[in-house]
Amino acid sequence: EKGYETGEHAPGLKLGGCGAYKAAHHIIKTHAKVWHSYNNTWRREQRGMVGISLTSGWGEPVDPHSQTDRDAAERYIQFHLGWFANPIYRGDYPEVMKNYVGKKSAQQGLGTSRLPTFSVQEKTYIKGTSDFLGIGHFTTRYVLQKNFPFLQVSSYHTDHDLAELVDPNWPAPGPKWLYSVPWGFRRLLNFIKTQYGNPLIYVTENGVSDTVQCPQLCDEWRIQYLKGYINEILKALNDGVNVKGYTAWSLLDKFEWNKGFSERFGLYHIDFKNKNKPRYPKASVDYYKKIISANGFPNQREVMA
């Protein structure tokens, strides 16, 4: 979407309303081809697994008693996670995506929908091409209905017909888009369980970046973020969600898209100005080590003993 819709990321194309959909269409078909290639050629010998990793926030209705807000929150998830996961697990794009993009395309006088279609053969070929689902998750939004006039220039964002809000009381320890809302992760994981037949899940990305440079590397906000989100994953496990593994994002400060080296997600601080790029552990390193050692939240007295 940022590469082919808004042009913020490489390759920097601004193909409003159609570019992101076309790019995604190719990604999904290519993913399926890779899965089948491995399945037919290497699986018997190597016994490996091939999956896909998708990043999605959680959308919570502003008013849970309002059907329009609940529908808008459903669209938020389907236009993010469902866009890729639904074809892989259920054989086609989400119905709400097809309906909304198709309706807006017709209002614009287009003969066909801006959302591409899969042939019957492609749907069969794509469905089931994931041995596990990788999930990247960082934050949550409140969602409500918002109608965009159809005369507006078409875009992926206006196709949703929704607005995103945040609670000013949510901690915002990292960049302006990343609010710490741990309970949204449990809801997202349970949504995946219900929608896609409780697939095997690996959390491939979850973390927060530094907004201020702390000379003592005392990233207490990261410790609290990790604690909150990992705790919600444990609750999801108790709900019966099939989460197999967790990866904090990220081990080291590194190059972050168009933010370059200014956005630091690392457990380890990197001195990029030094030609040797020395690495220094932040306070979160010690905390995360204890979680790894105990495979969960440790008894503090046992850790210190």
Side-chain angles (χ1 to χ4, degrees):
E1 181 259 330
K2 285 184 168 62
Y4 293 88
E5 173 88 23
T6 66
E8 292 172 66
H9 292 172
L13 300 179
K14 297 180 180 180
L15 306 173
C18 62
Y21 295 135
K22 287 181 180 178
H25 201 67
H26 290 305
I27 288 169
I28 294 163
K29 292 201 290 184
T30 306
H31 163 79
K33 189 166 186 177
V34 171
W35 187 92
H36 282 286
S37 174
Y38 185 84
N39 195 54
N40 296 333
T41 308
W42 299 107
R43 188 185 298 276
R44 187 175 298 172
E45 179 185 337
Q46 295 181 349
R47 299 179 186 176
M49 294 195 301
V50 177
I52 194 166
S53 185
L54 306 175
T55 300
S56 179
W58 173 251
E60 182 75 9
V62 168
D63 179 1
H65 302 293
S66 162
Q67 186 62 49
T68 55
D69 284 2
R70 290 203 303 271
D71 290 345
E74 173 78 11
R75 288 198 302 281
Y76 177 92
I77 296 297
Q78 295 294 1
F79 267 82
H80 286 86
L81 180 67
W83 184 7
F84 295 86
N86 217 74
I88 290 169
Y89 284 96
R90 304 177 76 168
D92 199 3
Y93 291 120
E95 285 300 317
V96 70
M97 245 187 124
K98 293 194 291 184
N99 292 342
Y100 268 70
V101 181
K103 177 181 67 177
K104 287 176 179 283
S105 299
Q107 288 172 342
Q108 292 168 315
L110 300 176
T112 57
S113 175
R114 287 181 281 104
L115 183 70
T117 56
F118 295 114
S119 69
V120 174
Q121 292 86 351
E122 285 172 340
K123 290 176 185 178
T124 304
Y125 187 72
I126 292 163
K127 186 177 180 181
T129 56
S130 202
D131 304 317
F132 65 89
L133 179 60
I135 285 292
H137 175 76
F138 294 91
T139 193
T140 284
R141 292 287 184 269
Y142 278 120
V143 180
L144 75 165
Q145 168 81 25
K146 180 182 179 182
N147 293 324
F148 290 91
F150 72 86
L151 292 174
Q152 218 171 322
V153 177
S154 62
S155 85
Y156 165 74
H157 283 289
T158 57
D159 284 343
H160 302 57
D161 270 357
L162 58 85
E164 301 174 27
L165 304 174
V166 297
D167 185 332
N169 294 317
W170 287 345
K176 60 183 181 180
W177 59 270
L178 207 169
Y179 292 80
S180 181
V181 195
W183 52 261
F185 203 4
R186 181 185 184 185
R187 297 185 187 196
L188 177 65
L189 291 169
N190 272 282
F191 175 88
I192 292 166
K193 173 191 171 188
T194 304
Q195 285 278 310
Y196 309 125
N198 203 15
L200 177 65
I201 295 173
Y202 287 93
V203 178
T204 46
E205 292 185 32
N206 175 241
V208 65
S209 64
D210 308 351
T211 45
V212 291
Q213 197 75 16
C214 184
Q216 289 79 34
L217 304 179
C218 48
D219 56 345
E220 179 62 31
W221 65 88
R222 183 173 285 107
I223 291 172
Q224 293 306 315
Y225 181 97
L226 292 171
K227 183 178 183 180
Y229 276 77
I230 292 170
N231 194 37
E232 291 298 320
I233 297 170
L234 288 169
K235 291 177 186 176
L237 278 166
N238 289 333
D239 297 335
V241 180
N242 191 13
V243 182
K244 184 71 172 177
Y246 173 86
T247 309
W249 190 263
S250 55
L251 179 65
L252 309 172
D253 290 339
K254 55 173 188 54
F255 193 87
E256 283 286 340
W257 300 97
N258 57 338
K259 302 297 182 184
F261 297 110
S262 66
E263 210 163 281
R264 295 171 175 266
F265 276 86
L267 295 168
Y268 282 84
H269 173 82
I270 309 295
D271 182 359
F272 292 112
K273 293 177 181 176
N274 186 313
K275 68 174 183 178
N276 295 320
K277 308 292 186 292
R279 304 161 186 198
Y280 305 99
K282 302 174 188 177
S284 53
V285 166
D286 189 52
Y287 180 75
Y288 195 49
K289 277 182 180 177
K290 291 172 183 176
I291 290 178
I292 292 169
S293 298
N295 194 29
F297 293 111
N299 180 309
Q300 195 63 32
R301 284 175 296 181
E302 290 178 17
V303 170
M304 301 305 288

